[in-house]
Amino acid sequence: MITASDWKDYEVLDTGDGEKLERWRDVILRRPDPQAIWPKQQPARWANPDATYHRSQKGGGEWEFFRKLPERWTVEYGALRFYVHPTGFKHTGLFPEQAANWDWMAKLIRAADRPIRVLNLFGYTGGATLACAHAGAHVTHVDAAKGMVQWAGENRKLAGIDETRVRWIVDDALKFVAREQRRGNAYQGILMDPPSYGRGPGGEVWKLENELYGLVSACEKILAEDALFMLINSYTTGLQPAVLNNMLTMTVARTHGGRVTADEVVLPVTAGGVLPCGASGRWEAV
């Protein structure tokens, strides 16, 4: 398992009955999590959250706040800082489990000791972008949602990372990759964090099972000869780590050699056990 165990400002306190109880710095949030199908281990801890997200049977949901919270606040991970904010679609603007992948990529970038260009597709609010930039890479951050790119830019300023380290692009991921191939651009590191379902800025429909292999194959074509890594994250329950392993083996490893690994990504739970948070497939040069 790939475990994000080095957080100090974030903690999963307990899980169970389809929910998770989390500490974001000094704020306690209670959110749905369909993976947590076991009973709560410490029911008394759940009595006084600062906010709870209630799902609606019609889709979506809403937050119920039990004390006045700031509109947004900051959390730190090592030298990185991020704004978090409870959004109307349950999320907070950060996926803490990805810190394990941030550390993996940052280690490879630092060890290379040469200029590294990284492409972050579906970059969201920039967690991986900032981790790679802080390690010394130049990052091209791509997301179809203009608001998410703006949030990522605010996180960059918060973390004190030089603006020349990141290029911000609002675009459909596959279309951008195709243009980069035509331009002859290449990257030493590529990562993607695609949603299970979504729409691009022009209304393009994205369904992970139908699109992912084509995107990985296209990304292989803009992976530099001296590439360091490629990372695929998946939150879709049906896509097991072996699926990601197969994709990377059939595309990147076939042309670049190297090593492919894939595993579950989890967060430790203070009350006991771990919380499954999807899967990651990793390719790295050897």
Side-chain angles (χ1 to χ4, degrees):
M1 290 186 291
I2 299 170
T3 307
S5 56
D6 293 333
W7 278 98
K8 293 181 173 59
D9 276 1
Y10 175 82
E11 179 183 10
V12 182
L13 300 170
D14 196 10
T15 58
D17 301 318
E19 292 184 290
K20 56 187 173 186
L21 188 69
E22 308 163 290
R23 178 182 63 82
W24 295 83
R25 201 165 184 176
D26 59 352
V27 176
I28 307 299
L29 300 181
R30 181 174 178 171
R31 294 194 286 166
D33 195 303
Q35 296 286 333
I37 61 174
W38 47 86
K40 295 179 175 69
Q41 298 180 70
Q42 297 179 351
R45 297 190 82 159
W46 297 72
N48 297 301
D50 295 310
T52 298
Y53 188 86
H54 300 287
R55 283 199 183 278
S56 169
Q57 293 184 349
K58 299 179 181 179
E62 62 180 2
W63 286 94
E64 180 182 9
F65 294 95
F66 301 101
R67 74 176 175 95
K68 184 173 177 58
L69 297 178
E71 183 173 342
R72 63 181 183 177
W73 63 97
T74 62
V75 295
E76 297 181 2
Y77 184 77
L80 306 177
R81 300 181 72 199
F82 307 98
Y83 288 113
V84 294
H85 160 65
T87 69
F89 46 96
K90 188 190 77 169
H91 294 164
T92 61
L94 199 64
F95 294 108
E97 68 276 4
Q98 287 302 316
N101 283 323
W102 303 343
D103 291 342
W104 172 70
M105 292 183 290
K107 182 178 179 181
L108 292 174
I109 291 166
R110 290 190 178 99
D113 195 28
R114 56 185 168 88
I116 300 297
R117 298 180 69 213
V118 171
L119 174 61
N120 184 8
L121 300 173
F122 310 95
Y124 196 48
T125 61
T129 291
L130 301 190
C132 291
H134 185 265
H138 180 274
V139 186
T140 297
H141 176 109
V142 180
D143 199 286
K146 184 177 180 180
M148 292 299 104
V149 174
Q150 181 178 343
W151 192 336
E154 292 170 350
N155 283 337
R156 178 202 63 78
K157 293 178 184 177
L158 185 67
I161 292 172
D162 192 283
E163 62 182 356
T164 62
R165 285 284 179 189
V166 185
R167 178 169 64 135
W168 308 103
I169 305 290
V170 178
D171 202 354
D172 174 80
L174 185 55
K175 289 181 179 179
F176 179 79
V177 170
R179 284 201 301 275
E180 288 294 85
Q181 184 185 0
R182 291 194 296 270
R183 294 167 182 145
N185 291 333
Y187 297 85
Q188 284 77 30
I190 300 177
L191 63 140
M192 60 188 75
D193 211 339
S196 298
Y197 179 86
R199 290 187 179 272
E204 306 90 344
V205 175
W206 165 275
K207 190 174 181 182
L208 187 67
E209 296 91 333
N210 298 339
E211 307 290 348
L212 184 58
Y213 184 85
L215 178 60
V216 175
S217 182
C219 285
E220 182 276 322
K221 294 178 174 61
I222 61 169
L223 199 61
E225 292 184 4
D226 60 347
L228 294 179
F229 65 84
M230 184 183 286
L231 170 69
I232 309 172
N233 290 312
S234 170
Y235 300 97
T236 302
T237 306
L239 293 187
Q240 303 299 323
V243 176
L244 306 181
N245 189 303
N246 286 345
M247 287 187 178
L248 288 168
T249 299
M250 293 175 183
T251 56
V252 182
R254 183 169 290 173
T255 55
H256 290 264
R259 178 173 62 242
V260 175
T261 58
D263 211 337
E264 284 188 89
V265 179
V266 302
L267 283 164
V269 180
T270 302
V274 296
L275 177 64
C277 301
S280 288
R282 296 172 169 179
W283 171 84
E284 64 179 287
V286 175

